[in-house]
Amino acid sequence: MTHLNELEAESIYILREVAAQFQKPAILFSGGKDSIVVTHLAYKAFYPAKLPFPLVHIDTGHNFKETIEYRDALVEKLGAQLIVGSVQESIDTGRVKEETGYNASRNALQTTTLLDTIEKYKFDACIGGARRDEEKARAKERIFSHRDEFGQWNPKNQRPELWNIFNGRKNMGEHFRVFPISNWTEMDVWQYIYKENIELPSLYYTHTRKCFFRDGQWLAAEDCIKRRPEEEVVEKEVRCRTIGDITCTGLTLSKAHTIEDIIAETAATRVTERGGRADDKRSETAMEDRKINGYF
Amino acid sequence: MANGYLDMKLLRFTTAGSVDDGKSTLIGRLLYDSKSIFEDQLEAVETASKSRGNEDVNLALLTDGLKAEREQGITIDVAYRYFATPKRKFIIADTPGHIQYTRNMVTGASTADLAIILIDARHGVMEQTIRHSYIATLLGISRIVVCVNKMDLVDYSQDVFNKIIADYKEMSKHLDIPETDFIPISAKNGDNVVNRSENITWYTGSPLLEFLENVEIKNQTSGDFRMAVQYVVRPISDKFADFRGYAGRIAQGTVKVGDKIKILLSGLTSTVKGIYNGKQELPQAQEGESVDITLADDIDISRGDYLVGDNANIPSVGKEFTLDICWFNPSPMQLRKKYIVRHATQEIQGLFTEILHKTDISTQEKIEGASELQLNDIARVTLKTAGELVYESYKKNKVTGSLVFVDPFTFETVGAGMIV
């Protein structure tokens, strides 16, 4: 077996374990390539039956319109159920308070919306597209990752995970996050997208966009990011390496028009994909801190 | 396709090491010299090293990801690391080496094809060297490579290296050690890690990375077909009204359309009608693949059942087992207490009936007369389950031979076992 066959087989095995072990599992769908690959794997795992998981999108209200268009088309194509958790609603109902200033982001607010959505629909397992190669705290996280009733991750007391035996037992009110593509790298994801001919949002390919430069990276010039007077808007040929909320998605100057171009670019690049993510730069252990509180 | 290698093989290996033997530095070196570390990661490590007052860039900070680990300068948990060369893709299960983290080493070793054992050239073979080798052997790792590190601190001496090889062979005599190779390295300076050392001219073997790229690993494809049913795929649609697919990951062997198979526990037989991966129909499938199998006959089969090759060599079925276990939990393992037993896709109640002997992890001596097991203990025990399990010895098959124990109240994973 090639590495891609082996990774696919492992991920499908994990997704089937989720369907077998949980009452009400869901896929956390961001519209990024990783959650798209997870959804594709889930489709394969249960074909010709329908996807046994709804897609849950935590919407910050600051999405690229291409992401939403792609999401809706995919839901239609798969005949899947879509559930949207709205950060705007969390703000309006006073569950969270919006950050202000130039670097304001709704990234951290998503945690509350996510946990509220999990509680509202009583999801007992949320499948995510996180990978261990993305970030140092994620490198230590289990595939079946336990969350207590506050939605918290306890990195110091994780359940040992051996062979391919996954323990999804839990008490009422607790839940699991499950990461079927934990063992994939960014390159594996791109190679798999190429091999399986998976359609992606157009944002991943080079396009012309109004941008501005801040803290060493290009950001989209959209109303949801407040610009400083000296931050000039220019048109650039860019693409996204990862897709998140507009406020924390760095854009890469690129000439990649096809998946092959992207693979070649990924192979040559010297910066990690999360290097363009403002949310990770807030402190040395930004991801661990957010994950402990229930973040993706 | 340029720069894209779609058909690489995957090698999973584990490393165990204690505080000062340079394990994190070695992994940092493998990642750094194979260009798997990116500029922003290196910058972050440089910044973190400086703020801790380290003079050199501390490559260990690349792998020690949790706050507590960075604060204390130690590895606590298993970390998974990834890198690839044009020849292979690698997954490293990086584990702490101290005796109090035995459970983490066992966890890391459970999915590994190969183990790297590190020895500090100044100190030679120590108790922990043999302990790590013992755990690798217990978990059925088929290949060990011993890296003698810090060769720069012993003037790259061939005599020191040869003495360590001889000592290792002597001190591991009592273990059922698989094929072992020895490589003299300096992780700090990069000697024989990725690039051949200019300081160790007397060594003619491969540097570590070249060794890892080429080492052959035994697989289990040769045996008879085994698949535990994970899930029954039953579409609710007119088009597929009669479709009943038995989904699972093939634990051993090969299955072809038209093959006669036997279903366990029922003992009924049928013929393979179709094999699917998503929409794709396959003529055959082999160990490691996740498939969906349809059968010619309408038989009651559910999660926990097995599909196996219909011949004389079928797995055993039983309720009483002898196994080697490692205990993971601060609350001790008690005899006659009921635990949840997870075995492949089965879940059942079980209780331990006897502790035949504990093994001193440091000396591997057998200790009889224990009445309970503590965190990190390794022991041979007998287990009785509430119903029948389909099983084989762990040596024969890692899927049908492995078990995990779950506490029925806390639901924590409290132990792991390998059927003898």
Side-chain angles (χ1 to χ4, degrees), chain A residues 249-276:
Chain A
T249 302
L251 304 166
T252 312
L253 298 177
S254 165
K255 295 204 183 319
H257 294 281
T258 63
I259 299 280
E260 288 101 314
D261 293 345
I262 293 173
I263 290 174
E265 200 178 282
T266 306
T269 189
R270 298 303 309 137
V271 181
T272 62
E273 56 181 330
R274 295 197 77 88

Side-chain angles (χ1 to χ4, degrees), chain A residues 8 12 16 39-47 192 196, chain B residues 277-278:
Chain A
E8 179 193 66
I12 287 178
R16 287 170 173 165
T39 307
H40 177 84
L41 289 162
Y43 176 76
K44 283 186 94 165
F46 301 100
Y47 182 85
Y192 186 72
E196 297 281 297
Chain B
N277 174 20

